[in-house]
Amino acid sequence: MATVNVTDASFKSDVLESDKPVLVDFWAEWCGPCKMIAPALEEISEELGDKVTIAKMDIMENTGVPGEIGVQSIPLMVLFKDGKPVAQKLGAAPKSQLKGWLESEL
């Protein structure tokens, strides 16, 4: 399953009301490290798609949710379970580290 794009408008239905955990990657087009981890997140989405949805939110196009959550640095990945943030990881990392962290939190 490929990553999905979420917006301020779709965040509640796509993330908070999801029946499975959702990892939201807060990113921006100008962010080099964000672009570095994008392919890894796509691969992880395919590998763990039955356990978790991986979503991406562009903080330049969507300022409401990042402001409410307090996103100050990117890339920031926040894992939501049952509508609540339960874990977060800041900064780029190799795919193996990202996947290991995510699996340990699921």
Side-chain angles (χ1 to χ4, degrees), residues 1 3 38-48 54 95:
M1 181 173 144
T3 60
L41 291 176
E42 290 291 338
E43 290 176 19
I44 293 168
S45 181
E46 295 292 334
E47 295 165 11
L48 300 180
I54 298 185
K95 177 188 169 190

Side-chain angles (χ1 to χ4, degrees):
M1 181 173 144
T3 60
V4 295
N5 288 316
V6 294
T7 63
D8 283 341
S10 70
F11 186 80
K12 183 179 179 189
S13 61
D14 290 346
V15 178
L16 301 182
E17 296 174 352
S18 175
D19 58 353
K20 67 180 178 179
V22 181
L23 179 71
V24 181
D25 172 30
F26 294 95
W27 71 285
E29 189 65 39
W30 49 261
C31 170
C34 299
K35 291 181 177 182
M36 286 172 36
I37 64 170
L41 291 176
E42 290 291 338
E43 290 176 19
I44 293 168
S45 181
E46 295 292 334
E47 295 165 11
L48 300 180
D50 57 332
K51 298 177 189 166
V52 63
T53 298
I54 298 185
K56 299 177 74 63
M57 179 176 271
D58 184 331
I59 65 164
M60 300 307 287
E61 294 178 9
N62 304 281
T63 57
V65 170
E68 290 171 24
I69 292 176
V71 176
Q72 296 181 349
S73 298
I74 55 173
L76 176 67
M77 291 154 279
V78 181
L79 180 64
F80 290 83
K81 284 186 190 175
D82 301 317
K84 296 179 176 58
V86 295
Q88 67 180 33
K89 182 165 185 59
L90 177 64
K95 177 188 169 190
S96 60
Q97 286 182 14
L98 294 174
K99 186 176 179 184
W101 167 76
L102 182 55
E103 287 177 317
S104 73
E105 297 292 347
L106 290 176

